[in-house]
Amino acid sequence: MSVPEEEETLLPLTQRWPRTSKFLLSGCAATVAELATFPLDLTKTRLQMQGEAALARLGDGATESAPYRGMVRTALGIVQEEGFLKLWQGVTPAIYRHVVYSGGRMVTYEHLREVVFGKSEDKHYPLWKSVIGGMMAGVIGQFLANPTDLVKVQMQMEGKRKLEGKPLRFRGVHHAFAKILAEGGIRGLWAGWVPNIQRAALVNMGDLTTYDTVKHYLVLNTPLEENIATHGLSSLCSGLVASILGTPADVIKSRIMNQPRDKQGRGLLYKSSTDCLIQAVQGEGFLSLYKGFLPSWLRMEDTLLHRNCNLQGAALSISMKTKFSLTPLFF
């Protein structure tokens, strides 16, 4: 039923422009979460680059022992050698990335849920629709945010380059965008987009399927009811599965984005994500695909727990007849 134009102007902004409001709110929430957990992301990226076997072809000393071992010692090494504030190096493009990715993904997911897929006759929203919708929304959001992710990864590695005596690539965020665009064109801003969207799809698939499965199992087979404890346990399991599925693609994405390039913007180390995968496994072993797993998992768990707070609040306004409890997450 449509609302008369006179009455519509009296409605709150969140009701007049629901998708725009969700985009802005998700961007704000993502910004706060990004600032709080960014040191984990920086530590993860540094760990993913350690012992990169492909660098041996350029004579960059990849065979030397890594200066840090593990998440804690890596973070402490950054603080001691570069300064405490360097734990937030690259946070500006990371915020840009989350605003684009989280907001775009939420709007896309809502559109797919309400317009493309729709609920069944009994108002039930099947799990398979949630999984497909979540994966498609994640892929689209990640593709749109790829340029900001590219700049973030490269800026996160600037401190290490300085310690190694290499020249810094950028003077700042906007210089980074301009330089990448000048050297590689529009295409250069989407370097590493294939493993990037692969990660988004795998993380969404692992999270949505595991979260819903574990939550329903706990409600049906244990004394637990659908409350914050149930959501918390479900998130712990879904975050673990999502990290296991998504970390290899994340490692490949980071290495492709950070690799040195020629004057035409072409990568000097890897021809494709498959080539990066093969070189990493052959040169460093299969477990190299899980470098940075711990900080990645911890960061994801924090994000999922924040999502549960949103779920609890949303549950107050959603009828039990809808049987729908999945919303997009912010990572």
Side-chain angles (χ1 to χ4, degrees):
M1 181 178 180
S2 60
V3 180
E5 185 175 350
E6 297 79 5
E7 295 183 14
E8 185 178 355
T9 58
L10 300 177
L11 293 174
L13 293 178
T14 54
Q15 295 182 25
R16 292 166 60 185
W17 301 298
R19 288 199 173 93
T20 302
S21 300
K22 287 179 180 179
F23 183 94
L24 295 175
L25 289 173
S26 64
C28 292
T31 299
V32 174
E34 186 66 32
L35 289 171
T37 63
F38 189 78
L40 287 172
D41 188 74
L42 176 66
T43 305
K44 175 204 73 173
T45 302
R46 292 290 182 90
L47 286 169
Q48 289 174 339
M49 303 299 179
Q50 287 187 4
E52 196 170 359
L55 287 173
R57 291 193 287 117
L58 297 181
D60 279 0
T63 58
E64 296 179 3
S65 59
Y68 311 127
R69 297 290 183 184
M71 181 183 72
V72 176
R73 290 184 62 185
T74 299
L76 290 176
I78 294 172
V79 172
Q80 293 172 354
E81 298 176 3
E82 304 172 41
F84 178 75
L85 292 181
K86 291 300 182 179
L87 289 173
W88 281 269
Q89 187 169 31
V91 72
T92 301
I95 291 174
Y96 293 166
R97 182 257 182 194
H98 271 276
V99 170
V100 176
Y101 174 66
S102 299
R105 180 171 172 239
M106 173 167 281
V107 172
T108 302
Y109 187 83
E110 291 291 324
H111 178 77
L112 292 173
R113 188 186 72 182
E114 297 175 9
V115 179
V116 179
F117 293 124
K119 298 183 178 66
S120 59
E121 294 181 358
D122 62 351
K123 302 299 182 181
H124 178 62
Y125 196 73
L127 176 61
W128 70 268
K129 289 186 178 181
S130 297
V131 173
I132 295 177
M135 290 178 65
M136 290 177 62
V139 166
I140 292 173
Q142 192 65 76
F143 180 80
L144 294 174
N146 195 83
T148 55
D149 219 353
L150 174 68
V151 172
K152 181 200 74 171
V153 169
Q154 294 196 9
M155 291 192 70
Q156 286 177 327
M157 297 304 296
E158 288 294 85
K160 184 179 178 182
R161 289 177 61 88
K162 185 175 181 180
L163 291 175
E164 294 174 345
K166 299 177 182 178
L168 298 181
R169 291 174 287 193
F170 315 119
R171 296 190 299 269
V173 178
H174 298 99
H175 177 243
F177 280 108
K179 184 177 180 181
I180 293 172
L181 184 62
E183 294 178 351
I186 294 294
R187 186 176 180 180
L189 291 172
W190 268 267
W193 71 271
V194 174
N196 212 5
I197 66 171
Q198 287 173 343
R199 174 195 175 274
L202 290 169
V203 166
N204 276 276
M205 179 181 68
D207 167 63
L208 291 173
T209 54
T210 306
Y211 178 84
D212 192 70
T213 301
V214 172
K215 186 190 70 174
H216 282 87
Y217 176 84
L218 293 174
V219 171
L220 295 175
N221 298 282
T222 70
L224 293 175
E225 299 179 355
E226 189 166 345
N227 51 32
I228 191 65
T230 304
H231 288 299
L233 289 173
S234 302
S235 284
L236 288 173
C237 295
S238 63
L240 177 61
V241 173
S243 297
I244 291 173
L245 292 177
T247 297
D250 195 25
V251 171
I252 294 171
K253 176 263 297 185
S254 296
R255 292 188 172 191
I256 289 179
M257 287 182 169
N258 187 62
Q259 69 174 323
R261 300 182 179 277
D262 59 20
K263 295 181 179 180
Q264 286 72 43
R266 294 174 298 191
L268 297 176
L269 297 180
Y270 310 112
K271 299 177 181 178
S272 63
S273 56
T274 302
D275 182 43
C276 181
L277 172 67
I278 293 174
Q279 290 196 51
V281 174
Q282 289 181 343
E284 305 162 53
F286 177 78
L287 291 181
S288 65
L289 299 177
Y290 285 90
K291 289 183 176 180
F293 173 81
L294 182 57
S296 178
W297 178 32
L298 292 176
R299 193 164 189 254
M300 192 173 297
E301 292 292 358
D302 178 80
T303 301
L304 297 180
L305 289 175
H306 277 84
R307 181 192 67 177
N308 288 332
C309 296
N310 295 332
L311 282 172
Q312 286 292 301
L316 297 175
S317 59
I318 298 178
S319 168
M320 292 299 293
K321 293 181 180 180
T322 63
K323 300 179 183 178
F324 178 76
S325 61
L326 293 176
T327 59
L329 26 148
F330 306 113
F331 56 83

